[in-house]
Amino acid sequence: MQLPHLSSKRAAFVALIVLVVAVAEFLAFEGTVGVSLPSDRNSALSRLEIKARGTDIHFITQNKRFTVVDYWYAHGTRREALVLRESFFMDRVDGREG
């Protein structure tokens, strides 16, 4: 079975149609369901670093997370959501406490 030969004009036309459909689909989802670009989102990253200092091996971790809490104001009569970005740092040496 032989595949049909596509001319460069026809291939460009198909690529343009696919691009237009993809943009239209994104705009439809953005307007109806609320799917959006990552610009209005945040991320929390974690990092692990292993270092040798002298005879000790240090495991250095940095973690971040988001927590949503209630914030009460006006003498406890009003409430709003508050988003906290929490950061944790630990330098642990294997076999040592503290």
Side-chain angles (χ1 to χ4, degrees):
M1 182 174 180
Q2 199 174 24
L3 294 175
H5 176 70
L6 287 177
S7 68
S8 62
K9 285 184 180 181
R10 190 169 197 169
F13 179 73
V14 169
L16 180 65
I17 292 297
V18 168
L19 179 64
V20 168
V21 168
V23 169
E25 180 182 17
F26 172 76
L27 293 176
F29 279 139
E30 173 71 28
T32 58
V33 183
V35 175
S36 62
L37 291 174
S39 64
D40 63 344
R41 300 179 188 154
N42 292 302
S43 63
L45 301 175
S46 296
R47 188 170 71 106
L48 168 67
E49 184 178 357
I50 301 172
K51 284 189 174 181
R53 293 183 184 157
T55 59
D56 297 328
I57 297 176
H58 290 254
F59 298 92
I60 303 166
T61 57
Q62 292 180 332
N63 296 303
K64 295 183 180 181
R65 72 177 182 196
F66 294 98
T67 304
V68 179
V69 297
D70 290 332
Y71 171 66
W72 291 88
Y73 63 99
H75 302 291
T77 60
R78 294 187 183 177
R79 178 178 59 105
E80 286 188 8
L82 182 66
V83 179
L84 303 176
R85 185 176 71 177
E86 300 172 300
S87 299
F88 304 92
F89 175 83
M90 184 185 344
D91 184 352
R92 180 172 184 247
V93 178
D94 199 30
R96 287 195 189 166
E97 185 180 338

